[in-house]
Amino acid sequence: MHVFKKAVMSILFFFMIAGTPLAHDKTEEVKTLKSEIAVYQSKIDETRKNTDLMRSKATADSLSYVRYLQESQERSRKLAAERDSLTVLAGFLQNKRDSLIAVAEASALLIDSYKRQTGTALGELRASCRNLTALLEPFAVFNISKQISALRFLDGELSAGTIEATEGLERYWQIVSQIEKSSQKIEMWTAPSPVRSIKGEARFLRLGFVWLACIDNSSTHALLWNPACGVWDSVNHEEQVNAINKAVQLCTGMAAPQLVALPVSLKILPNKKGN
């Protein structure tokens, strides 16, 4: 296109310089030719502009594509890093899951073992409550009826399953400790008379669980517990009655500390037994 334009311009220049009659005769054709040349020139300019525009666009597209490639590579790198990180995390979580499953299985085994041991302990504790109750019932008169009732109540709760083995064992130990302390000390208390021959209340005195006596408020009538027969026997000797009364006074702080010969061994007359 550039060569054609140069040839046309050379012909026109030649006609203008030569001034031949051909230039005058061909004026209209020249004008037409110039018009066509102008059109072609316009198209050439437009084409050049379009070409420049396309070149610029192509350049911009190339740069954009380069940026796109760079961004894609960066995204791919980040995604690969995240994938690797997630893979490591997945492995860690899997190991954690396996560890938790192992712990859960071990815990389940421990729970089963604990339940079996608890069941065995409950059975043994109930048996201990019943055996101890039967053993202590003959000694209820020694002022331990509350502890015996507590053992029976505990046995009922253990049988009904309303308390755990740990609580039952703690309560059992407390009751046994109270009974043990009572068996090791001298105690005096006031309670209703155990026989009809003594009206109203009487004062009771015991030495552990081996000796028990009571005396009326007038200090004239005393009774001695006979564990072999499980009955109250009358004390028929005035000195022994006085000894029991003095021992009661010592326990209540009504008399000065002194040695008292209690009727530990007492011959009981058959016709003098209490009712």
Side-chain angles (χ1 to χ4, degrees):
M1 184 65 70
H2 180 69
V3 173
F4 174 75
K5 180 180 177 184
K6 185 176 181 181
V8 171
M9 293 301 292
S10 298
I11 292 170
L12 290 176
F13 178 76
F14 175 77
F15 285 154
M16 290 175 65
I17 296 299
T20 62
L22 179 61
H24 298 285
D25 294 339
K26 300 297 183 179
T27 302
E28 293 299 328
E29 293 182 7
V30 171
K31 289 182 179 179
T32 302
L33 185 58
K34 287 182 178 181
S35 178
E36 292 178 356
I37 292 173
V39 171
Y40 284 120
Q41 182 66 42
S42 176
K43 290 182 178 181
I44 291 171
D45 293 339
E46 185 177 356
T47 301
R48 183 181 292 110
K49 290 180 180 179
N50 291 334
T51 302
D52 293 340
L53 181 61
M54 292 178 67
R55 185 181 295 108
S56 299
K57 185 177 180 181
T59 302
D61 290 342
S62 298
L63 295 175
S64 178
Y65 181 68
V66 170
R67 287 195 298 271
Y68 169 76
L69 290 178
Q70 292 176 347
E71 292 175 356
S72 297
Q73 292 174 355
E74 181 66 18
R75 284 196 298 268
S76 297
R77 187 188 63 77
K78 290 182 178 179
L79 289 175
E82 291 180 2
R83 181 194 61 198
D84 295 340
S85 178
L86 290 175
T87 300
V88 173
L89 179 60
F92 172 77
L93 292 177
Q94 182 63 36
N95 293 335
K96 192 69 174 180
R97 176 179 175 274
D98 295 340
S99 177
L100 290 175
I101 290 175
V103 171
E105 292 175 351
S107 299
L109 292 176
L110 289 175
I111 291 173
D112 292 340
S113 176
Y114 174 76
K115 287 181 178 179
R116 290 193 298 270
Q117 293 177 3
T118 300
T120 302
L122 284 173
E124 293 179 354
L125 189 57
R126 288 195 300 267
S128 296
C129 288
R130 294 167 186 172
N131 293 336
L132 187 58
T133 298
L135 180 65
L136 293 175
E137 280 179 346
F139 297 91
V141 69
F142 284 81
N143 199 30
I144 59 171
S145 57
K146 290 182 179 179
Q147 286 78 8
I148 295 174
S149 297
L151 282 172
R152 290 197 182 98
F153 185 72
L154 177 59
D155 180 25
E157 286 189 303
L158 292 171
S159 300
T162 56
I163 61 173
E164 298 291 337
T166 52
E167 180 183 353
L169 183 61
E170 177 65 22
R171 286 170 55 182
Y172 179 83
W173 176 253
Q174 291 176 356
I175 295 171
V176 171
S177 297
Q178 292 174 4
I179 295 173
E180 184 180 10
K181 290 179 180 178
S182 297
S183 67
Q184 298 173 354
K185 66 179 182 179
I186 299 173
E187 185 180 8
M188 196 285 294
W189 71 94
T190 301
S193 170
V195 296
R196 287 179 293 178
S197 59
I198 298 178
K199 305 299 180 182
E201 292 186 336
R203 293 169 293 170
F204 292 79
L205 178 67
R206 68 174 175 83
L207 304 179
F209 291 164
V210 297
W211 185 86
L212 175 64
C214 71
I215 189 169
D216 64 354
N217 289 325
S218 63
S219 303
T220 58
H221 191 181
L223 301 173
L224 190 64
W225 175 249
N226 186 338
C229 301
V231 295
W232 288 97
D233 295 325
S234 294
V235 178
N236 302 308
H237 300 279
E238 183 178 356
E239 292 183 0
Q240 294 174 338
V241 172
N242 291 335
I244 293 173
N245 182 52
K246 185 174 293 185
V248 169
Q249 290 180 344
L250 288 173
C251 287
T252 57
M254 300 298 294
Q258 56 184 296
L259 294 175
V260 177
L262 293 173
V264 175
S265 178
L266 178 65
K267 183 178 179 179
I268 304 299
L269 300 176
N271 60 344
K272 294 296 185 178
K273 287 185 179 181
N275 297 325

